[in-house]
mmCIF file of all heavy atoms in Angstrom:
data_model
loop_
_atom_site.group_PDB
_atom_site.id
_atom_site.type_symbol
_atom_site.label_atom_id
_atom_site.label_comp_id
_atom_site.label_asym_id
_atom_site.label_seq_id
_atom_site.Cartn_x
_atom_site.Cartn_y
_atom_site.Cartn_z
ATOM 1 N N GLY A 159 76.364 110.813 57.504
ATOM 2 C CA GLY A 159 76.242 110.522 58.920
ATOM 3 C C GLY A 159 75.364 109.310 59.196
ATOM 4 O O GLY A 159 75.735 108.426 59.969
ATOM 5 N N VAL A 160 74.179 109.249 58.566
ATOM 6 C CA VAL A 160 73.287 108.125 58.847
ATOM 7 C C VAL A 160 73.858 106.827 58.265
ATOM 8 O O VAL A 160 73.652 105.741 58.821
ATOM 9 C CB VAL A 160 71.854 108.388 58.330
ATOM 10 C CG1 VAL A 160 71.249 109.582 59.043
ATOM 11 C CG2 VAL A 160 71.802 108.566 56.823
ATOM 12 N N ARG A 161 74.587 106.919 57.156
ATOM 13 C CA ARG A 161 75.212 105.719 56.596
ATOM 14 C C ARG A 161 76.345 105.224 57.500
ATOM 15 O O ARG A 161 76.555 104.010 57.636
ATOM 16 C CB ARG A 161 75.725 105.989 55.180
ATOM 17 C CG ARG A 161 74.595 106.101 54.164
ATOM 18 C CD ARG A 161 75.104 106.237 52.736
ATOM 19 N NE ARG A 161 73.997 106.249 51.803
ATOM 20 C CZ ARG A 161 73.409 105.163 51.304
ATOM 21 N NH1 ARG A 161 73.860 103.959 51.658
ATOM 22 N NH2 ARG A 161 72.399 105.255 50.474
ATOM 23 N N GLU A 162 77.082 106.141 58.112
ATOM 24 C CA GLU A 162 78.138 105.731 59.043
ATOM 25 C C GLU A 162 77.540 105.001 60.240
ATOM 26 O O GLU A 162 78.071 103.978 60.690
ATOM 27 C CB GLU A 162 78.932 106.952 59.518
ATOM 28 C CG GLU A 162 79.785 107.625 58.458
ATOM 29 C CD GLU A 162 81.077 106.873 58.159
ATOM 30 O OE1 GLU A 162 81.314 105.809 58.769
ATOM 31 O OE2 GLU A 162 81.838 107.353 57.303
ATOM 32 N N VAL A 163 76.441 105.515 60.768
ATOM 33 C CA VAL A 163 75.797 104.878 61.914
ATOM 34 C C VAL A 163 75.285 103.498 61.527
ATOM 35 O O VAL A 163 75.487 102.512 62.250
ATOM 36 C CB VAL A 163 74.656 105.758 62.458
ATOM 37 C CG1 VAL A 163 73.832 104.989 63.497
ATOM 38 C CG2 VAL A 163 75.210 107.037 63.086
ATOM 39 N N HIS A 164 74.619 103.398 60.380
ATOM 40 C CA HIS A 164 74.099 102.093 59.949
ATOM 41 C C HIS A 164 75.232 101.089 59.750
ATOM 42 O O HIS A 164 75.117 99.922 60.170
ATOM 43 C CB HIS A 164 73.302 102.245 58.650
ATOM 44 C CG HIS A 164 72.785 100.943 58.121
ATOM 45 N ND1 HIS A 164 71.692 100.309 58.656
ATOM 46 C CD2 HIS A 164 73.239 100.144 57.098
ATOM 47 C CE1 HIS A 164 71.478 99.170 57.998
ATOM 48 N NE2 HIS A 164 72.399 99.043 57.058
ATOM 49 N N ALA A 165 76.313 101.521 59.125
ATOM 50 C CA ALA A 165 77.444 100.616 58.899
ATOM 51 C C ALA A 165 78.025 100.132 60.224
ATOM 52 O O ALA A 165 78.373 98.952 60.373
ATOM 53 C CB ALA A 165 78.513 101.310 58.061
ATOM 54 N N ALA A 166 78.128 101.031 61.198
ATOM 55 C CA ALA A 166 78.659 100.645 62.503
ATOM 56 C C ALA A 166 77.730 99.643 63.189
ATOM 57 O O ALA A 166 78.192 98.675 63.813
ATOM 58 C CB ALA A 166 78.849 101.881 63.381
ATOM 59 N N PHE A 167 76.430 99.849 63.091
ATOM 60 C CA PHE A 167 75.477 98.886 63.642
ATOM 61 C C PHE A 167 75.676 97.509 63.013
ATOM 62 O O PHE A 167 75.752 96.491 63.695
ATOM 63 C CB PHE A 167 74.038 99.336 63.384
ATOM 64 C CG PHE A 167 73.556 100.466 64.255
ATOM 65 C CD1 PHE A 167 72.390 101.145 63.925
ATOM 66 C CD2 PHE A 167 74.233 100.861 65.401
ATOM 67 C CE1 PHE A 167 71.909 102.179 64.717
ATOM 68 C CE2 PHE A 167 73.767 101.893 66.201
ATOM 69 C CZ PHE A 167 72.596 102.554 65.850
ATOM 70 N N MET A 168 75.743 97.477 61.679
ATOM 71 C CA MET A 168 75.768 96.207 60.965
ATOM 72 C C MET A 168 77.128 95.510 61.051
ATOM 73 O O MET A 168 77.238 94.320 60.755
ATOM 74 C CB MET A 168 75.366 96.408 59.505
ATOM 75 C CG MET A 168 73.914 96.834 59.316
ATOM 76 S SD MET A 168 72.734 95.684 60.072
ATOM 77 C CE MET A 168 73.062 94.187 59.132
ATOM 78 N N ASN A 169 78.163 96.210 61.451
ATOM 79 C CA ASN A 169 79.487 95.605 61.604
ATOM 80 C C ASN A 169 79.661 94.905 62.949
ATOM 81 O O ASN A 169 80.715 94.338 63.222
ATOM 82 C CB ASN A 169 80.585 96.659 61.428
ATOM 83 C CG ASN A 169 80.798 97.023 59.971
ATOM 84 O OD1 ASN A 169 80.488 96.243 59.064
ATOM 85 N ND2 ASN A 169 81.321 98.218 59.735
ATOM 86 N N GLN A 170 78.636 94.958 63.783
ATOM 87 C CA GLN A 170 78.716 94.290 65.075
ATOM 88 C C GLN A 170 78.565 92.778 64.916
ATOM 89 O O GLN A 170 78.115 92.279 63.884
ATOM 90 C CB GLN A 170 77.627 94.840 66.010
ATOM 91 C CG GLN A 170 77.866 96.288 66.414
ATOM 92 C CD GLN A 170 76.812 96.803 67.368
ATOM 93 O OE1 GLN A 170 75.668 96.366 67.350
ATOM 94 N NE2 GLN A 170 77.200 97.743 68.213
ATOM 95 N N PRO A 171 78.948 92.007 65.944
ATOM 96 C CA PRO A 171 78.819 90.544 65.875
ATOM 97 C C PRO A 171 77.375 90.095 65.681
ATOM 98 O O PRO A 171 76.433 90.836 65.973
ATOM 99 C CB PRO A 171 79.359 90.091 67.240
ATOM 100 C CG PRO A 171 80.222 91.214 67.712
ATOM 101 C CD PRO A 171 79.585 92.468 67.193
ATOM 102 N N ARG A 172 77.209 88.858 65.205
ATOM 103 C CA ARG A 172 75.878 88.298 64.973
ATOM 104 C C ARG A 172 75.274 87.867 66.307
ATOM 105 O O ARG A 172 75.411 86.716 66.721
ATOM 106 C CB ARG A 172 75.946 87.117 64.010
ATOM 107 C CG ARG A 172 76.446 87.484 62.631
ATOM 108 C CD ARG A 172 76.233 86.348 61.644
ATOM 109 N NE ARG A 172 76.775 85.074 62.137
ATOM 110 C CZ ARG A 172 78.036 84.706 62.010
ATOM 111 N NH1 ARG A 172 78.920 85.514 61.442
ATOM 112 N NH2 ARG A 172 78.429 83.526 62.462
ATOM 113 N N ARG A 173 74.630 88.797 66.979
ATOM 114 C CA ARG A 173 73.970 88.530 68.256
ATOM 115 C C ARG A 173 72.587 89.148 68.247
ATOM 116 O O ARG A 173 72.343 90.148 67.573
ATOM 117 C CB ARG A 173 74.786 89.110 69.422
ATOM 118 C CG ARG A 173 76.159 88.468 69.590
ATOM 119 C CD ARG A 173 76.959 89.176 70.652
ATOM 120 N NE ARG A 173 78.313 88.630 70.753
ATOM 121 C CZ ARG A 173 79.306 89.235 71.384
ATOM 122 N NH1 ARG A 173 79.101 90.393 71.996
ATOM 123 N NH2 ARG A 173 80.510 88.676 71.417
ATOM 124 N N VAL A 174 71.690 88.571 69.017
ATOM 125 C CA VAL A 174 70.323 89.087 69.070
ATOM 126 C C VAL A 174 70.240 90.375 69.872
ATOM 127 O O VAL A 174 69.398 91.234 69.604
ATOM 128 C CB VAL A 174 69.382 88.014 69.675
ATOM 129 C CG1 VAL A 174 67.973 88.562 69.858
ATOM 130 C CG2 VAL A 174 69.357 86.782 68.788
ATOM 131 N N SER A 175 71.133 90.548 70.867
ATOM 132 C CA SER A 175 70.966 91.621 71.841
ATOM 133 C C SER A 175 71.699 92.912 71.509
ATOM 134 O O SER A 175 71.630 93.865 72.284
ATOM 135 C CB SER A 175 71.423 91.135 73.218
ATOM 136 O OG SER A 175 72.782 90.722 73.162
ATOM 137 N N ASN A 176 72.427 92.993 70.372
ATOM 138 C CA ASN A 176 73.115 94.242 70.046
ATOM 139 C C ASN A 176 72.352 95.016 68.968
ATOM 140 O O ASN A 176 71.222 94.661 68.603
ATOM 141 C CB ASN A 176 74.570 93.969 69.635
ATOM 142 C CG ASN A 176 74.681 93.080 68.402
ATOM 143 O OD1 ASN A 176 73.722 92.883 67.666
ATOM 144 N ND2 ASN A 176 75.870 92.534 68.172
ATOM 145 N N HIS A 177 72.952 96.103 68.460
ATOM 146 C CA HIS A 177 72.260 96.940 67.477
ATOM 147 C C HIS A 177 71.940 96.166 66.200
ATOM 148 O O HIS A 177 70.850 96.298 65.634
ATOM 149 C CB HIS A 177 73.114 98.167 67.133
ATOM 150 C CG HIS A 177 73.464 99.016 68.314
ATOM 151 N ND1 HIS A 177 74.594 98.796 69.079
ATOM 152 C CD2 HIS A 177 72.829 100.082 68.869
ATOM 153 C CE1 HIS A 177 74.640 99.699 70.057
ATOM 154 N NE2 HIS A 177 73.590 100.485 69.962
ATOM 155 N N ARG A 178 72.912 95.376 65.735
ATOM 156 C CA ARG A 178 72.687 94.567 64.534
ATOM 157 C C ARG A 178 71.541 93.587 64.755
ATOM 158 O O ARG A 178 70.661 93.424 63.900
ATOM 159 C CB ARG A 178 73.963 93.802 64.180
ATOM 160 C CG ARG A 178 73.899 93.018 62.869
ATOM 161 C CD ARG A 178 75.213 92.264 62.661
ATOM 162 N NE ARG A 178 75.336 91.743 61.315
ATOM 163 C CZ ARG A 178 74.855 90.562 60.922
ATOM 164 N NH1 ARG A 178 74.217 89.788 61.788
ATOM 165 N NH2 ARG A 178 75.013 90.152 59.672
ATOM 166 N N GLY A 179 71.541 92.943 65.926
ATOM 167 C CA GLY A 179 70.475 92.016 66.246
ATOM 168 C C GLY A 179 69.118 92.690 66.327
ATOM 169 O O GLY A 179 68.098 92.108 65.929
ATOM 170 N N ASN A 180 69.075 93.911 66.846
ATOM 171 C CA ASN A 180 67.819 94.649 66.881
ATOM 172 C C ASN A 180 67.304 94.908 65.466
ATOM 173 O O ASN A 180 66.117 94.750 65.179
ATOM 174 C CB ASN A 180 68.018 95.984 67.613
ATOM 175 C CG ASN A 180 67.282 96.033 68.948
ATOM 176 O OD1 ASN A 180 66.552 95.121 69.310
ATOM 177 N ND2 ASN A 180 67.480 97.114 69.681
ATOM 178 N N ILE A 181 68.175 95.344 64.574
ATOM 179 C CA ILE A 181 67.759 95.620 63.191
ATOM 180 C C ILE A 181 67.211 94.357 62.535
ATOM 181 O O ILE A 181 66.225 94.414 61.776
ATOM 182 C CB ILE A 181 68.938 96.191 62.387
ATOM 183 C CG1 ILE A 181 69.249 97.622 62.852
ATOM 184 C CG2 ILE A 181 68.650 96.174 60.882
ATOM 185 C CD1 ILE A 181 70.499 98.220 62.224
ATOM 186 N N LEU A 182 67.827 93.213 62.818
ATOM 187 C CA LEU A 182 67.468 91.966 62.140
ATOM 188 C C LEU A 182 66.492 91.102 62.932
ATOM 189 O O LEU A 182 66.161 89.998 62.487
ATOM 190 C CB LEU A 182 68.741 91.163 61.845
ATOM 191 C CG LEU A 182 69.789 91.858 60.979
ATOM 192 C CD1 LEU A 182 70.989 90.935 60.749
ATOM 193 C CD2 LEU A 182 69.201 92.301 59.644
ATOM 194 N N ASN A 183 66.020 91.576 64.057
ATOM 195 C CA ASN A 183 65.119 90.772 64.880
ATOM 196 C C ASN A 183 63.805 90.523 64.137
ATOM 197 O O ASN A 183 63.080 91.470 63.817
ATOM 198 C CB ASN A 183 64.846 91.485 66.202
ATOM 199 C CG ASN A 183 64.189 90.579 67.221
ATOM 200 O OD1 ASN A 183 63.446 89.667 66.884
ATOM 201 N ND2 ASN A 183 64.454 90.842 68.494
ATOM 202 N N PRO A 184 63.459 89.263 63.861
ATOM 203 C CA PRO A 184 62.259 88.998 63.069
ATOM 204 C C PRO A 184 60.953 89.201 63.816
ATOM 205 O O PRO A 184 59.884 89.153 63.192
ATOM 206 C CB PRO A 184 62.430 87.526 62.663
ATOM 207 C CG PRO A 184 63.264 86.940 63.739
ATOM 208 C CD PRO A 184 64.212 88.029 64.160
ATOM 209 N N VAL A 185 60.994 89.439 65.131
ATOM 210 C CA VAL A 185 59.733 89.646 65.845
ATOM 211 C C VAL A 185 59.151 91.037 65.577
ATOM 212 O O VAL A 185 57.957 91.243 65.751
ATOM 213 C CB VAL A 185 59.886 89.436 67.369
ATOM 214 C CG1 VAL A 185 60.521 88.097 67.681
ATOM 215 C CG2 VAL A 185 60.660 90.556 68.020
ATOM 216 N N TRP A 186 59.995 91.991 65.143
ATOM 217 C CA TRP A 186 59.488 93.344 64.932
ATOM 218 C C TRP A 186 58.541 93.394 63.740
ATOM 219 O O TRP A 186 58.757 92.747 62.719
ATOM 220 C CB TRP A 186 60.614 94.338 64.704
ATOM 221 C CG TRP A 186 61.706 94.380 65.728
ATOM 222 C CD1 TRP A 186 63.048 94.471 65.483
ATOM 223 C CD2 TRP A 186 61.582 94.386 67.153
ATOM 224 N NE1 TRP A 186 63.770 94.503 66.646
ATOM 225 C CE2 TRP A 186 62.890 94.456 67.704
ATOM 226 C CE3 TRP A 186 60.503 94.325 68.029
ATOM 227 C CZ2 TRP A 186 63.125 94.462 69.070
ATOM 228 C CZ3 TRP A 186 60.747 94.328 69.393
ATOM 229 C CH2 TRP A 186 62.028 94.402 69.899
ATOM 230 N N SER A 187 57.506 94.209 63.869
ATOM 231 C CA SER A 187 56.575 94.435 62.761
ATOM 232 C C SER A 187 56.628 95.872 62.257
ATOM 233 O O SER A 187 56.359 96.129 61.075
ATOM 234 C CB SER A 187 55.149 94.094 63.195
ATOM 235 O OG SER A 187 54.777 94.861 64.344
ATOM 236 N N HIS A 188 56.966 96.818 63.135
ATOM 237 C CA HIS A 188 56.957 98.231 62.787
ATOM 238 C C HIS A 188 58.230 98.914 63.289
ATOM 239 O O HIS A 188 58.873 98.449 64.226
ATOM 240 C CB HIS A 188 55.748 98.943 63.396
ATOM 241 C CG HIS A 188 54.429 98.450 62.884
ATOM 242 N ND1 HIS A 188 53.841 97.299 63.351
ATOM 243 C CD2 HIS A 188 53.588 98.956 61.943
ATOM 244 C CE1 HIS A 188 52.688 97.111 62.723
ATOM 245 N NE2 HIS A 188 52.516 98.100 61.875
ATOM 246 N N VAL A 189 58.534 100.032 62.682
ATOM 247 C CA VAL A 189 59.693 100.815 63.080
ATOM 248 C C VAL A 189 59.347 102.301 63.016
ATOM 249 O O VAL A 189 58.519 102.735 62.203
ATOM 250 C CB VAL A 189 60.916 100.513 62.177
ATOM 251 C CG1 VAL A 189 60.671 100.961 60.734
ATOM 252 C CG2 VAL A 189 62.189 101.151 62.722
ATOM 253 N N GLY A 190 59.970 103.060 63.883
ATOM 254 C CA GLY A 190 59.922 104.519 63.822
ATOM 255 C C GLY A 190 61.340 105.035 63.985
ATOM 256 O O GLY A 190 62.074 104.541 64.850
ATOM 257 N N ILE A 191 61.736 105.985 63.181
ATOM 258 C CA ILE A 191 63.117 106.463 63.170
ATOM 259 C C ILE A 191 63.131 107.965 63.384
ATOM 260 O O ILE A 191 62.346 108.700 62.764
ATOM 261 C CB ILE A 191 63.809 106.105 61.839
ATOM 262 C CG1 ILE A 191 63.917 104.579 61.710
ATOM 263 C CG2 ILE A 191 65.189 106.758 61.737
ATOM 264 C CD1 ILE A 191 64.173 104.095 60.316
ATOM 265 N N GLY A 192 64.011 108.420 64.252
ATOM 266 C CA GLY A 192 64.185 109.846 64.487
ATOM 267 C C GLY A 192 65.633 110.247 64.310
ATOM 268 O O GLY A 192 66.533 109.571 64.812
ATOM 269 N N VAL A 193 65.855 111.332 63.581
ATOM 270 C CA VAL A 193 67.196 111.875 63.378
ATOM 271 C C VAL A 193 67.239 113.294 63.922
ATOM 272 O O VAL A 193 66.315 114.083 63.690
ATOM 273 C CB VAL A 193 67.588 111.880 61.885
ATOM 274 C CG1 VAL A 193 68.886 112.662 61.660
ATOM 275 C CG2 VAL A 193 67.753 110.447 61.378
ATOM 276 N N ALA A 194 68.271 113.601 64.661
ATOM 277 C CA ALA A 194 68.548 114.971 65.094
ATOM 278 C C ALA A 194 69.940 115.322 64.599
ATOM 279 O O ALA A 194 70.877 114.531 64.749
ATOM 280 C CB ALA A 194 68.472 115.093 66.611
ATOM 281 N N TYR A 195 70.069 116.508 64.020
ATOM 282 C CA TYR A 195 71.286 116.829 63.287
ATOM 283 C C TYR A 195 71.690 118.277 63.520
ATOM 284 O O TYR A 195 70.921 119.189 63.238
ATOM 285 C CB TYR A 195 71.041 116.565 61.800
ATOM 286 C CG TYR A 195 72.150 116.978 60.869
ATOM 287 C CD1 TYR A 195 73.487 116.782 61.189
ATOM 288 C CD2 TYR A 195 71.854 117.557 59.641
ATOM 289 C CE1 TYR A 195 74.496 117.145 60.325
ATOM 290 C CE2 TYR A 195 72.851 117.931 58.760
ATOM 291 C CZ TYR A 195 74.168 117.721 59.104
ATOM 292 O OH TYR A 195 75.170 118.089 58.246
ATOM 293 N N ALA A 196 72.881 118.454 64.070
ATOM 294 C CA ALA A 196 73.467 119.783 64.207
ATOM 295 C C ALA A 196 74.627 119.875 63.228
ATOM 296 O O ALA A 196 75.627 119.165 63.384
ATOM 297 C CB ALA A 196 73.965 120.016 65.633
ATOM 298 N N PRO A 197 74.517 120.699 62.181
ATOM 299 C CA PRO A 197 75.540 120.726 61.137
ATOM 300 C C PRO A 197 76.937 121.074 61.622
ATOM 301 O O PRO A 197 77.905 120.805 60.920
ATOM 302 C CB PRO A 197 75.009 121.791 60.159
ATOM 303 C CG PRO A 197 73.533 121.771 60.351
ATOM 304 C CD PRO A 197 73.344 121.517 61.827
ATOM 305 N N GLU A 198 77.068 121.636 62.820
ATOM 306 C CA GLU A 198 78.426 121.928 63.303
ATOM 307 C C GLU A 198 79.191 120.671 63.671
ATOM 308 O O GLU A 198 80.392 120.735 63.946
ATOM 309 C CB GLU A 198 78.378 122.872 64.501
ATOM 310 C CG GLU A 198 77.792 122.286 65.771
ATOM 311 C CD GLU A 198 76.294 122.525 65.905
ATOM 312 O OE1 GLU A 198 75.659 122.865 64.882
ATOM 313 O OE2 GLU A 198 75.770 122.385 67.023
ATOM 314 N N GLY A 199 78.501 119.500 63.667
ATOM 315 C CA GLY A 199 79.280 118.292 63.861
ATOM 316 C C GLY A 199 78.707 117.224 64.761
ATOM 317 O O GLY A 199 79.452 116.537 65.464
ATOM 318 N N GLN A 200 77.381 117.019 64.762
ATOM 319 C CA GLN A 200 76.807 115.937 65.546
ATOM 320 C C GLN A 200 75.516 115.475 64.900
ATOM 321 O O GLN A 200 74.675 116.292 64.522
ATOM 322 C CB GLN A 200 76.532 116.358 66.990
ATOM 323 C CG GLN A 200 76.020 115.229 67.882
ATOM 324 C CD GLN A 200 75.808 115.683 69.319
ATOM 325 O OE1 GLN A 200 75.951 116.849 69.645
ATOM 326 N NE2 GLN A 200 75.460 114.761 70.195
ATOM 327 N N LEU A 201 75.362 114.165 64.766
ATOM 328 C CA LEU A 201 74.131 113.584 64.233
ATOM 329 C C LEU A 201 73.751 112.391 65.097
ATOM 330 O O LEU A 201 74.592 111.539 65.396
ATOM 331 C CB LEU A 201 74.306 113.161 62.773
ATOM 332 C CG LEU A 201 73.079 112.572 62.080
ATOM 333 C CD1 LEU A 201 73.017 113.024 60.620
ATOM 334 C CD2 LEU A 201 73.086 111.046 62.150
ATOM 335 N N ILE A 202 72.486 112.350 65.525
ATOM 336 C CA ILE A 202 71.975 111.271 66.368
ATOM 337 C C ILE A 202 70.863 110.542 65.625
ATOM 338 O O ILE A 202 69.964 111.175 65.069
ATOM 339 C CB ILE A 202 71.434 111.810 67.707
ATOM 340 C CG1 ILE A 202 72.530 112.563 68.477
ATOM 341 C CG2 ILE A 202 70.883 110.671 68.568
ATOM 342 C CD1 ILE A 202 72.032 113.268 69.735
ATOM 343 N N VAL A 203 70.936 109.224 65.617
ATOM 344 C CA VAL A 203 69.895 108.386 65.031
ATOM 345 C C VAL A 203 69.262 107.566 66.141
ATOM 346 O O VAL A 203 69.962 106.869 66.888
ATOM 347 C CB VAL A 203 70.463 107.442 63.952
ATOM 348 C CG1 VAL A 203 69.373 106.515 63.420
ATOM 349 C CG2 VAL A 203 71.086 108.232 62.810
ATOM 350 N N THR A 204 67.946 107.648 66.259
ATOM 351 C CA THR A 204 67.192 106.800 67.180
ATOM 352 C C THR A 204 66.276 105.907 66.363
ATOM 353 O O THR A 204 65.495 106.396 65.549
ATOM 354 C CB THR A 204 66.357 107.641 68.160
ATOM 355 O OG1 THR A 204 67.226 108.476 68.923
ATOM 356 C CG2 THR A 204 65.570 106.757 69.112
ATOM 357 N N GLN A 205 66.374 104.605 66.585
ATOM 358 C CA GLN A 205 65.506 103.632 65.923
ATOM 359 C C GLN A 205 64.658 102.954 66.989
ATOM 360 O O GLN A 205 65.191 102.358 67.920
ATOM 361 C CB GLN A 205 66.334 102.569 65.191
ATOM 362 C CG GLN A 205 67.243 103.115 64.109
ATOM 363 C CD GLN A 205 68.191 102.058 63.564
ATOM 364 O OE1 GLN A 205 68.481 101.056 64.222
ATOM 365 N NE2 GLN A 205 68.675 102.283 62.348
ATOM 366 N N ASN A 206 63.348 103.066 66.873
ATOM 367 C CA ASN A 206 62.434 102.380 67.784
ATOM 368 C C ASN A 206 61.712 101.272 67.029
ATOM 369 O O ASN A 206 61.130 101.512 65.972
ATOM 370 C CB ASN A 206 61.413 103.346 68.378
ATOM 371 C CG ASN A 206 61.984 104.226 69.467
ATOM 372 O OD1 ASN A 206 61.471 105.308 69.726
ATOM 373 N ND2 ASN A 206 63.054 103.802 70.119
ATOM 374 N N PHE A 207 61.763 100.067 67.569
ATOM 375 C CA PHE A 207 61.143 98.896 66.967
ATOM 376 C C PHE A 207 60.049 98.370 67.897
ATOM 377 O O PHE A 207 60.205 98.404 69.121
ATOM 378 C CB PHE A 207 62.162 97.773 66.767
ATOM 379 C CG PHE A 207 63.393 98.169 66.002
ATOM 380 C CD1 PHE A 207 64.530 98.594 66.678
ATOM 381 C CD2 PHE A 207 63.423 98.107 64.614
ATOM 382 C CE1 PHE A 207 65.679 98.947 65.980
ATOM 383 C CE2 PHE A 207 64.562 98.457 63.913
ATOM 384 C CZ PHE A 207 65.694 98.883 64.589
ATOM 385 N N ILE A 208 58.955 97.865 67.314
ATOM 386 C CA ILE A 208 57.936 97.213 68.125
ATOM 387 C C ILE A 208 57.413 95.971 67.414
ATOM 388 O O ILE A 208 57.442 95.873 66.180
ATOM 389 C CB ILE A 208 56.745 98.136 68.470
ATOM 390 C CG1 ILE A 208 56.087 98.696 67.210
ATOM 391 C CG2 ILE A 208 57.156 99.240 69.418
ATOM 392 C CD1 ILE A 208 54.777 99.445 67.500
#
Side-chain angles (χ1 to χ4, degrees):
V160 297
R161 287 185 176 275
E162 292 283 1
V163 170
H164 178 77
F167 285 166
M168 293 304 297
N169 284 336
Q170 292 182 331
R172 297 191 308 276
R173 296 174 184 165
V174 175
S175 58
N176 61 16
H177 302 89
R178 185 182 193 273
N180 248 355
I181 289 174
L182 301 181
N183 193 329
V185 307
W186 307 137
S187 57
H188 296 80
V189 65
I191 295 162
V193 170
Y195 174 40
E198 68 268 16
Q200 184 178 5
L201 182 143
I202 301 173
V203 176
T204 300
Q205 300 171 338
N206 284 156
F207 306 93
I208 57 171

